[in-house]
């Protein structure tokens, strides 16, 4: 009895001591989590508010107009939106197969002593600041493309319908294609690292069983590894796409920054992010600033849609795999 | 690459500015300004020299002319700086006054095999037609007629312009619209709807694109041309004389300009009269409130600018800027008497 009456209050005190930090911790983490939501809502609200004058002036025409004339105050989002989507598409076409190859090699074929150096090198690619990619693109990649790849493309596809159009014009080195190539290299480390990690989560017993049944390396990857890891692969690709859509500095250096839509991928263009980086600091006049804000809002909407779509896809994949 | 360095320097400077604010020491006496990026190096240099003498520092945020105009309107800084002068009407509405502080020139640069700096000559009309996409070859009769004895190739002209909004573009397009009625449709601004060409970011971006592309033409700030030994062209000015870009031709443009009759110093130095005037010259401007809530700090700001006019010419030249001629700076300082405090007493 005596012992119990002593230990009772002590337990309560100890419990109180434990619950207070616990509650505090709970409150702090809750606050942090809410802060993210508040920030997101705040950014969206500011963008809408900032772009309101332009949207009120031009209405829906803002989204389909290809005009961009600071002198007469006529603005439209079509050219930068086209540039953003075109460069991101080229980046995915180049970056995803490359990343897949890298991840495949690292997990399935690579001798063990090379695994770490190559893996590290890929992670280091992600650590290169985007401005360095931009400078490298402008001073090294663009002249290289101008002298070799672009004349080859123009020469080989000239006269072919559609493709000839896509690779027409003088080889100036910089343009939509060059920006896409740079972006492809930039997203590679992200996509490749995620792919490698998810490939490695596949239990060795599954692979070994497949090999035991006489499957080739390609068949193992295509029929065993990929289906089991599709969720992670899609996640990695979306991460890369998000980065390609929003990349600013590197693109600004090599895209040529012309507010024109051309059928040719060799022609200069502009993306939303590069237009903002170029023009925001010296934008004089309310409508001009507001039109740039509206471009920001469009980019926000595009990336939001892409990420939301990716999330939805991931959830579906999860469900179909779970069943 | 200069831009990259500048940017990190700016960030460091901004951080230093914040640090000064946080510690609370000396911030009451320091001057604050914001605006144009083009004069930032010389303002920083002047501020450094002025601080050594007076102990008063300057916190200048080079956020661009547009930002500078917004900040001075919101009264968050003592002065604003803009490469594009405000129209007298706009100044009146905002209750601001403006004056020119320092000058620079814009210079066409080319990349043509075997052509040396200053070897070829262009006129404003030809330059406008190149940028309109009407003249597309270097051996166009319009160009060869201006350059007898120079072998110009049968090569396409690759037009390069600034992609970022900039005072340089404003001065350049202002000149083109003065000399070419057709350029009037494109207009003059810090960024325009270019009919043709590639855009490079900053002077360094334009210089890189011109340097990499055979047959390219671009335009950059004079200081950048000098420091990087680019191949500039001569230009025929309004007096019909071909001139080379050098400090004496910029000073001639400023001295020949009719500042005395320009209301609120709203004067663009492009296409000025005089046989020696470089036609694409421009000044960068300071914006102040006409009625000052804090007369002491307004006085301190004006003292700094007075010092710059009187003692800053050497430093300006060392950075390849063009100091304002004395005739102009004395006109400006006479105008400062119009800046008053809330009771109507002049602050200067």
């Amino acid at each position: 009895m005596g012992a119990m009456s002593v230990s009772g209050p002590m337990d309560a005190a100890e419990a109180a001591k434990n619950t207070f930090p616990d509650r505090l911790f709970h409150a702090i983490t809750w606050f942090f989590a809410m802060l993210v939501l508040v920030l997101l809502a705040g950014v969206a609200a500011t963008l809408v508010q900032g772009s309101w004058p332009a949207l009120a002036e031009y209405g829906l025409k803002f989204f389909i107009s290809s005009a961009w004339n600071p002198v007469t105050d006529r603005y439209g989002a079509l050219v930068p939106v086209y540039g953003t989507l075109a460069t991101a598409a080229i980046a995915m076409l180049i970056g995803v197969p490359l990343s897949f190859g890298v991840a495949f090699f690292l997990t399935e074929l690579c001798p063990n002593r090379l695994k770490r150096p190559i893996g590290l090198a890929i992670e280091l690619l992600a650590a290169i600041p985007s401005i360095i990619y931009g400078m490298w693109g402008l001073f090294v990649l663009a002249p290289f493309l101008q002298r070799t790849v672009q004349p080859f493309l123009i020469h080989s596809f000239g006269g072919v319908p559609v493709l000839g159009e896509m690779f027409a014009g003088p080889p100036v080195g910089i343009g939509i294609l060059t920006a896409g190539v740079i972006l492809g290299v930039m997203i590679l480390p992200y996509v490749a690292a995620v792919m490698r990690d998810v490939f490695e989560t596949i239990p060795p017993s599954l692979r070994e069983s497949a090999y035991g049944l006489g499957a080739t390396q390609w068949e193992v990857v295509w029929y065993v590894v990929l289906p089991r890891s599709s969720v992670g692969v899609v996640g990695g690709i979306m991460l890369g796409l998000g980065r390609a859509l929003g990349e600013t500095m590197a693109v600004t250096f090599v895209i040529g920054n012309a507010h024109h839509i051309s059928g040719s991928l060799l022609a200069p263009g502009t993306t939303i992010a590069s237009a903002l980086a170029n023009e925001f600091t010296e934008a004089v006049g309310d409508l001009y600033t507001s039109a740039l804000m509206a471009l920001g809002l469009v980019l926000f909407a595009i990336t939001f849609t892409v990420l939301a779509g990716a999330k939805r896809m991931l959830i579906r994949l999860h469900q179909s795999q779970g069943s | 690459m200069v831009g990259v360095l500048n940017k990190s320097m700016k960030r460091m400077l901004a951080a230093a500015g914040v640090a000064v604010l946080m510690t609370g020491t000396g911030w009451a006496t320091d001057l604050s300004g914001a605006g144009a990026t083009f004069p930032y190096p010389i303002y920083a240099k002047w501020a450094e020299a002025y601080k050594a003498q007076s102990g008063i520092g300057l916190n200048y945020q080079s956020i661009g002319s547009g930002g500078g105009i917004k900040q001075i309107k919101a009264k968050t800084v003592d002065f604003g700086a803009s490469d594009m002068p405000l129209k007298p009407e706009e100044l009146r509405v905002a209750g601001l006054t403006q004056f020119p502080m320092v000058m620079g020139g814009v210079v066409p640069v080319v990349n043509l095999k075997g052509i040396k700096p200053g070897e070829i000559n262009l006129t404003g009309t030809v330059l406008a037609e190149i940028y309109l996409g009407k003249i597309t070859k270097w051996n166009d009769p319009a160009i060869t007629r201006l350059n007898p004895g120079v072998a110009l190739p049968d090569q396409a002209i690759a037009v390069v312009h600034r992609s970022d909004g900039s005072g340089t573009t404003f001065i350049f397009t202002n000149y083109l619209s003065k000399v070419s009625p057709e350029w009037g449709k494109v207009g003059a601004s810090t960024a325009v709807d270019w009919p043709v060409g590639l855009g490079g970011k900053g002077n360094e971006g334009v210089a890189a694109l011109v340097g990499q592309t055979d047959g390219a033409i671009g335009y950059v700030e004079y200081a950048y041309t000098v420091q990087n030994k680019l191949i500039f062209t001569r230009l025929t000015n309004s007096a019909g004389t071909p001139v080379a870009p050098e400090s004496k031709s910029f000073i001639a443009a400023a001295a020949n300009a009719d500042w005395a009759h320009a209301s609120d110093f709203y004067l663009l130095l492009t296409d000025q009269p005089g046989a020696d005037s470089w036609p694409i010259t421009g000044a960068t401007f300071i914006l102040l409130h006409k009625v000052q809530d804090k007369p002491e700090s307004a006085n301190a700001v004006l003292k700094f600018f007075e010092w710059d006019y009187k003692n800053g010419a050497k430093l300006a030249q060392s950075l390849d800027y063009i100091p304002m001629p004395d005739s102009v700076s004395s006109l400006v300082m006479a105008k400062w008497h119009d800046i008053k405090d809330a009771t109507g007493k002049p602050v200067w």
Side-chain angles (χ1 to χ4, degrees):
Chain A
M1 272 300 261
M4 267 183 77
S5 64
V6 171
S7 72
M10 252 182 68
D11 278 356
E14 209 142 287
K17 224 162 68 191
N18 283 339
T19 52
F20 177 70
D22 256 11
R23 276 212 215 115
L24 186 69
F25 186 67
H26 178 255
I28 290 174
T29 49
W30 189 86
F31 170 74
F32 286 164
M34 283 301 124
L35 199 62
V36 175
L37 280 185
V38 171
L39 276 176
L40 188 68
V43 168
T46 320
L47 278 175
V48 170
Q49 188 204 12
S51 51
W52 195 250
L55 295 179
E57 172 83 16
Y58 310 117
L60 287 177
K61 259 176 70 191
F62 180 77
F63 301 102
I64 50 164
S65 160
S66 62
W68 191 268
N69 193 332
V71 180
T72 55
D73 262 348
R74 305 300 308 165
Y75 304 103
L78 192 62
V79 179
V81 167
Y82 161 76
T84 306
L85 297 179
T87 49
I90 297 170
M92 299 319 280
L93 277 178
I94 295 170
V96 170
L98 265 181
S99 307
F100 175 73
V102 168
F104 178 34
F105 178 76
L106 277 180
T107 49
E108 305 295 326
L109 309 174
C110 186
N112 262 330
R113 69 197 153 80
L114 275 181
K115 261 188 188 173
R116 272 178 68 87
I118 295 181
L120 259 176
I122 287 164
E123 277 154 29
L124 281 177
L125 268 185
I128 298 175
S130 64
I131 187 121
I132 307 289
Y133 277 108
M135 279 155 50
W136 175 76
L138 180 60
F139 292 113
V140 181
L141 181 68
F144 171 74
L145 290 179
Q146 181 185 14
R147 279 193 302 269
T148 56
V149 178
Q150 293 190 347
F152 169 76
L153 288 173
I154 295 167
H155 186 75
S156 0
F157 293 117
V160 182
V162 187
L163 279 177
E165 287 272 294
M166 278 170 78
F167 300 107
V172 283
I174 62 176
I176 299 261
L177 181 70
T178 312
V181 172
I182 284 265
L183 285 176
V185 178
M186 287 179 78
I187 63 169
L188 185 138
Y190 295 90
V191 184
V194 173
M195 280 188 182
R196 179 196 59 185
D197 291 349
V198 293
F199 286 175
E200 273 174 354
T201 59
I202 307 300
S205 56
L206 276 180
R207 284 198 190 101
E208 281 154 15
S209 323
Y211 284 125
L213 290 172
T216 62
Q217 277 166 335
W218 171 253
E219 283 165 343
V220 169
V221 169
W222 197 248
Y223 295 110
V224 179
V225 176
L226 258 187
R228 292 277 304 195
S229 54
S230 50
V231 173
V233 169
V234 170
I237 291 174
M238 289 301 160
L239 187 71
L241 182 56
R243 166 135 203 193
L245 287 170
E247 176 48 44
T248 308
M249 239 24 241
V251 172
T252 308
F253 269 69
V254 297
I255 197 166
N257 304 301
H259 273 283
H260 299 290
I261 292 184
S262 163
S264 169
L265 294 179
L266 305 184
T270 189
T271 70
I272 294 177
S274 70
L276 289 177
N278 272 320
E279 298 182 32
F280 209 82
T281 46
E282 294 280 341
V284 185
D286 295 338
L287 216 49
Y288 192 3
T289 323
S290 175
L292 287 168
M293 289 290 259
L295 275 190
L297 183 66
V298 172
L299 181 59
F300 189 74
I302 292 176
T303 39
F304 193 84
T305 315
V306 165
L307 289 179
K311 198 81 209 166
R312 221 179 114 83
M313 215 157 121
L314 288 179
I315 292 170
R316 279 226 190 120
L317 275 170
H318 255 302
Q319 281 168 346
S320 66
Q321 275 175 2
S323 60
Chain B
M1 250 172 293
V2 176
V4 181
L5 287 176
N6 271 347
K7 235 172 226 161
S8 59
M9 261 165 63
K10 263 179 244 166
R11 250 180 236 138
M12 270 152 64
L13 220 85
V18 171
V20 169
L21 284 178
M22 304 264 261
T23 52
T25 50
W27 98 278
T29 52
D30 274 5
L31 314 171
S32 65
T37 47
F38 157 69
Y40 166 68
I42 183 60
Y43 290 173
K45 195 125 193 174
W46 279 340
E48 192 190 315
Y50 184 66
K51 188 170 187 173
Q53 284 190 7
S54 66
I56 297 172
L58 167 69
N59 174 22
Y60 183 77
Q61 311 157 19
S62 60
I63 52 174
S65 301
I69 294 168
K70 277 188 202 105
Q71 295 237 13
I72 186 67
K73 280 185 180 167
K75 298 194 181 179
T76 50
V77 287
D78 295 331
F79 69 90
S82 172
D83 288 333
M84 186 153 88
L86 297 187
K87 295 208 172 73
E89 170 63 18
E90 203 181 342
L91 287 170
R92 205 178 48 75
V93 172
L96 295 171
T97 180
Q98 76 186 356
F99 50 86
M101 200 61 228
V102 68
M103 296 181 294
V106 179
V107 176
V109 292
V110 297
N111 178 358
L112 282 168
K113 275 204 184 76
I115 299 289
K116 288 186 280 297
E119 194 175 344
I120 62 168
N121 182 46
L122 298 172
T123 64
T125 333
V126 167
L127 200 56
E129 295 209 332
I130 290 174
Y131 272 84
L132 282 165
K134 298 228 154 136
I135 296 178
T136 56
K137 292 259 176 170
W138 279 109
N139 62 351
D140 191 288
I143 303 177
T144 51
R145 201 182 310 133
L146 294 166
N147 297 285
V150 181
L152 286 162
D154 176 20
Q155 192 173 27
I157 303 178
V159 173
V160 181
H161 55 76
R162 285 281 288 267
S163 64
D164 46 336
S166 86
T168 310
T169 296
F170 169 69
I171 295 166
F172 185 71
T173 51
N174 174 268
Y175 170 64
L176 294 186
S177 47
K178 274 188 189 171
V179 294
S180 155
E182 220 168 320
W183 190 268
K185 281 182 220 134
V186 179
S189 185
T190 53
V192 299
D193 189 8
W194 296 98
V196 290
L198 296 172
K201 186 163 165 48
N203 287 299
E204 62 276 18
V206 171
L209 288 182
V210 170
Q212 283 166 13
T213 317
D214 279 336
I217 186 167
Y219 61 92
V220 293
E221 274 163 27
Y222 170 64
Y224 196 82
T225 318
V226 174
Q227 286 150 15
N228 294 281
K229 304 194 171 55
L230 301 177
I231 300 165
F232 57 84
T233 73
R234 281 173 297 143
L235 275 177
T236 303
N237 61 20
S238 66
T241 329
V243 283
E246 52 197 348
S247 28
K248 83 169 193 295
S249 53
F250 299 119
I251 292 170
N256 289 326
D258 187 11
W259 288 102
H261 292 97
S263 89
D264 290 304
F265 296 105
Y266 182 79
L267 182 63
L268 299 159
L269 292 174
T270 49
D271 203 32
Q272 290 300 316
D276 293 329
S277 299
W278 177 254
I280 327 181
T281 306
T284 184
F285 292 80
I286 297 290
L287 297 165
L288 288 175
H289 276 279
K290 264 197 143 156
V291 178
Q292 293 285 342
D293 305 330
K294 291 179 287 181
E296 314 81 47
S297 69
N299 188 272
V301 167
L302 292 175
K303 271 205 184 108
F304 169 63
F305 291 134
E306 183 197 24
W307 185 91
D308 298 339
Y309 279 137
K310 291 190 170 153
N311 309 298
K314 266 232 172 70
L315 286 176
Q317 278 158 347
S318 75
L319 293 178
D320 297 303
Y321 289 88
I322 316 302
M324 299 305 296
D326 288 341
S327 60
V328 181
S329 59
S330 49
L331 263 177
V332 168
M333 288 189 277
K335 269 271 181 192
W336 286 352
H337 298 299
D338 295 349
I339 303 171
K340 308 210 159 97
D341 69 2
T343 63
K345 210 174 88 197
V347 300
W348 181 248

